[in-house]
Amino acid sequence: MSSSSTNTTLNIPVLLASLGILYLFSKLWRAHLEMAKFDGIPAVGPSGLLSSFISGMRYVKNARELIKEGYEKYHGRAFKISIPNSGWMVIATGPELVNDIRKASDEYLSFDEALNEFLQIDYTLGKPHREHLYHVNVVRNAVTRNLSARYSDVRDEIIAAFSEEIPVTDDWTSINAYDTILRIVCRTSNRLFVGLPLCRDPDWIDLNIQFTVRVNSIAAIINLFPDILKPIVGNLLSPTGTATRRAHRHIGHIIQDRLDKQDQYGRDWEDKPNDLVSWLLDENPGGKYRTAEDIAMRLLNTNMAAIHTTFFLLSWFSDTLILHNDICHKFKSPSPASSTTWQSNRTQSSKLSERKSSPSLKNMDGAKFLWATSAKWIVFMKEVTRMVGVGVLVSGRKVMKDFTFSDGTRLPAGSTVCIPVWAMHHDERHYEDPNEFKPFRFSDMRDIEENGNIKHQMITPNSDYFLFGTGRHACPGRFFAVNELKTLLAHTLLTYDVKLEGFSKEVPEPTLFTSAIIPNQKAKVLFRKRIMMD
């Protein structure tokens, strides 16, 4: 009995070790079979079973360089790149393959499923946001449709936010650009979304900023883990519970009151507020989604998208514009009859601002805005986004069924394919001297190209410019984002003299993490009251 017991005890570690080796072997074999599906697609970096893992680790900090390398080496084809714990990502290059992605149905290439994986939506936003995307239609339709009607409110909030965050003084004042711009953007967006007084509540502002930052950072962390561990890590890090409770304290009673009035008086009741809460209720599919908690989370979700994009772009625009202040003062209008300097443009902009121009009026990239009299100034913004951008990749799609590109390249179901937007924006096939910053590049292109006024609007995706994606899944909030940005920059230029503290020749170096390009969080900007010039 004793000898048998001893033998059994001694065999347990051997058994466990054998099972462990068997499990590891099976994982490696499955990984080998999975990798074999991509054999027809060339790789950037090592493509061996173990060496590709090392390449995947390089992707975390060097994604931009790795993708640019593949873009130049395999242009016109698809190539693959290893990403941490997720196998291969396929990058499509050349107009034919990009057009294949644009035209593909969701049945084959799904934008929503790719976004679900990128943001790990089940854990960062909650399963209802994966199951039903009715808030996207609200942004695409109701938000865009009401921009003109609510423009004066947005502009009023910009003026108020700047006056509180950056008081106008005669002496130079140092401001942390990252934190200050976040708060101003959050207040401005929420004036449209929830109105006064909530848009100015410090805790509501902090909640939305922190939620935006946490969702993106938590998603990036979860994606570093293998699939088997993602549920554990995701549930441990999920911000949804805390965020929902905190949001409900601020706006739960408001949402419930709207729900009750809609039940009592119908959809169009008297004095119904014209804001995002009402627009979400109008689009709400009912059932389990018709709750104060669900509406509150949709508000946070919409805020996240608005704050993330607008903040990144405004940071790049501000830094670049400051560094090119000499160009601003030398600028001449192309029209001999209105040969005005930049200073004259700022003066005329002041007059326009008093009229509170509506974004629906034509001028300046589709809107008669209060910035300047020349359309050249809005294309400055487009050139900045071409040079810097907010990410290395765009238009990610999850392959739902085996998909074949027009050149015969086959993508296996379960894989992910993206467009290398940063590399495309720095490609001499699309842009002359692509690595040189030319403030009025797109203005010149407008003048010489057929339909240039339409093609080179900042909100218009085309075969050369992909800031907001492409096709029917192009960013639904791009109209609001661009119009908000115009007004934010206009107010800055009309109110302040600005310069970067410690940076005289180059935009502060961004942080690169996987495919994200994040503005410098330590950069400081000096502000003072604008000195009027004759």
Side-chain angles (χ1 to χ4, degrees):
M1 175 74 75
S2 176
S3 175
S4 175
S5 175
T6 300
N7 290 337
T8 303
T9 303
L10 291 174
N11 287 336
I12 289 177
V14 175
L15 178 63
L16 291 175
S18 300
L19 290 174
I21 293 172
L22 183 63
Y23 173 77
L24 179 60
F25 178 80
S26 67
K27 289 286 289 183
L28 290 173
W29 179 248
R30 283 197 297 270
H32 169 73
L33 294 177
E34 190 66 26
M35 291 178 68
K37 297 178 181 179
F38 296 86
D39 281 349
I41 303 174
V44 173
S47 58
L49 191 59
L50 297 179
S51 58
S52 62
F53 175 80
I54 299 174
S55 181
M57 291 299 100
R58 286 185 60 206
Y59 178 84
V60 175
K61 281 294 186 180
N62 299 284
R64 188 167 69 178
E65 288 71 23
L66 289 170
I67 293 170
K68 187 69 159 59
E69 176 187 339
Y71 181 86
E72 293 174 349
K73 187 175 182 180
Y74 301 110
H75 187 266
R77 303 169 58 189
F79 65 91
K80 62 188 177 186
I81 189 166
S82 179
I83 56 178
N85 294 306
S86 298
W88 296 110
M89 176 187 289
V90 179
I91 313 296
T93 72
E96 289 80 11
L97 301 194
V98 169
N99 195 43
D100 288 342
I101 292 176
R102 183 185 64 81
K103 295 189 301 182
S105 69
D106 292 337
E107 180 184 3
Y108 283 89
L109 301 183
S110 173
F111 170 82
D112 293 338
E113 288 303 318
L115 185 63
N116 288 340
E117 288 195 1
F118 177 74
L119 284 180
Q120 290 294 313
I121 285 178
D122 279 6
Y123 312 113
T124 57
L125 299 175
K127 289 183 180 179
H129 285 67
R130 173 173 56 81
E131 296 167 346
H132 207 299
L133 301 174
Y134 73 88
H135 58 283
V136 175
N137 287 332
V138 172
V139 174
R140 180 178 291 112
N141 299 316
V143 170
T144 302
R145 188 171 57 247
N146 283 281
L147 287 179
S148 180
R150 294 292 311 279
Y151 174 69
S152 60
D153 293 329
V154 171
R155 180 177 174 274
D156 176 71
E157 196 58 37
I158 287 173
I159 295 171
F162 268 98
S163 66
E164 293 179 26
E165 295 288 347
I166 312 175
V168 179
T169 59
D170 292 327
D171 298 324
W172 290 107
T173 302
S174 180
I175 301 294
N176 182 284
Y178 186 90
D179 295 333
T180 304
I181 291 176
L182 268 175
R183 289 193 296 271
I184 291 173
V185 168
C186 186
R187 279 186 57 168
T188 303
S189 300
N190 275 278
R191 181 64 180 268
L192 176 68
F193 296 163
V194 298
L196 291 169
L198 185 56
C199 69
R200 298 179 182 177
D201 186 300
D203 190 65
W204 176 256
I205 294 170
D206 182 69
L207 164 62
N208 281 282
I209 291 174
Q210 293 305 317
F211 185 74
T212 298
V213 172
R214 289 194 67 196
V215 164
N216 286 278
S217 60
I218 288 172
I221 292 171
I222 296 172
N223 279 318
L224 294 176
F225 286 83
D227 290 344
I228 194 172
L229 295 178
K230 285 178 180 177
I232 298 173
V233 178
N235 285 311
L236 285 174
L237 298 179
S238 175
T240 57
T242 301
T244 301
R245 289 190 293 271
R246 192 173 169 190
H248 197 268
R249 289 198 298 270
H250 284 287
I251 203 165
H253 64 288
I254 296 174
I255 299 173
Q256 190 58 54
D257 179 66
R258 304 274 184 94
L259 287 167
D260 293 341
K261 286 183 177 177
Q262 191 177 74
D263 289 338
Q264 185 174 1
Y265 303 113
R267 177 168 169 166
D268 297 316
W269 43 277
E270 188 177 358
D271 297 326
K272 175 182 173 182
N274 190 31
D275 59 18
L276 183 56
V277 178
S278 293
W279 306 332
L280 286 168
L281 284 173
D282 289 344
E283 187 76 20
N284 192 282
K288 65 179 181 179
Y289 303 107
R290 197 174 185 273
T291 66
E293 289 77 14
D294 185 84
I295 299 292
M297 277 301 296
R298 307 281 170 169
L299 284 169
L300 292 180
N301 188 353
T302 306
N303 255 296
M304 179 192 70
I307 292 171
H308 181 267
T309 302
T310 308
F311 161 69
F312 274 31
L313 295 180
L314 183 59
S315 296
W316 295 129
F317 295 159
S318 300
D319 290 349
T320 309
L321 189 59
I322 292 168
L323 292 176
H324 290 81
N325 194 49
D326 58 326
I327 297 176
C328 298
H329 287 282
K330 292 176 183 178
F331 168 68
K332 299 286 185 179
S333 171
S335 170
S338 59
S339 181
T340 56
T341 63
W342 164 245
Q343 181 60 38
S344 176
N345 278 337
R346 292 220 300 193
T347 302
Q348 293 182 44
S349 298
S350 298
K351 297 177 181 178
L352 280 173
S353 68
E354 295 173 1
R355 304 176 198 169
K356 297 184 179 180
S357 305
S358 164
S360 63
L361 299 178
K362 293 292 181 182
N363 192 22
M364 290 275 304
D365 196 21
K368 185 177 180 181
F369 244 62
L370 48 82
W371 187 355
T373 57
S374 171
K376 282 192 172 183
W377 277 107
I378 194 59
V379 294
F380 177 97
M381 294 165 57
K382 187 170 181 177
E383 172 68 350
V384 174
T385 61
R386 184 197 68 82
M387 281 292 293
V388 184
V390 297
V392 180
L393 300 170
V394 73
S395 298
R397 301 289 193 269
K398 181 78 172 182
V399 182
M400 308 306 293
K401 297 180 181 179
D402 287 357
F403 179 81
T404 303
F405 281 117
S406 54
D407 69 349
T409 301
R410 178 178 167 276
L411 300 181
S415 58
T416 300
V417 61
C418 297
I419 296 173
V421 60
W422 191 89
M424 290 182 66
H425 286 176
H426 291 77
D427 185 349
E428 61 185 6
R429 299 175 187 85
H430 303 303
Y431 300 101
E432 183 180 353
D433 302 321
N435 296 315
E436 179 182 345
F437 178 75
K438 298 182 177 181
F440 307 129
R441 177 190 298 273
F442 288 99
S443 179
D444 295 338
M445 293 170 71
R446 276 180 168 181
D447 293 341
I448 64 176
E449 293 184 20
E450 186 177 356
N451 297 321
N453 283 334
I454 298 175
K455 179 180 178 181
H456 295 301
Q457 288 188 14
M458 192 172 173
I459 58 173
T460 304
N462 58 55
S463 58
D464 303 328
Y465 183 78
F466 284 86
L467 175 69
F468 293 114
T470 185
R472 62 187 175 282
H473 291 298
C475 174
R478 64 189 185 278
F479 300 94
F480 171 56
V482 170
N483 285 328
E484 182 183 25
L485 282 163
K486 291 174 186 176
T487 314
L488 285 161
L489 278 172
H491 182 79
T492 302
L493 294 170
L494 294 171
T495 309
Y496 305 96
D497 285 328
V498 289
K499 63 182 180 180
L500 284 168
E501 185 177 65
F503 296 88
S504 58
K505 296 182 179 180
E506 295 181 356
V507 171
E509 189 68 22
T511 298
L512 303 178
F513 185 80
T514 64
S515 63
I517 302 174
I518 305 168
N520 192 299
Q521 299 184 28
K522 297 180 180 180
K524 292 190 175 182
V525 179
L526 298 173
F527 287 81
R528 73 177 180 190
K529 181 180 179 181
R530 180 166 71 91
I531 297 177
M532 301 294 292
M533 299 175 63
D534 295 331

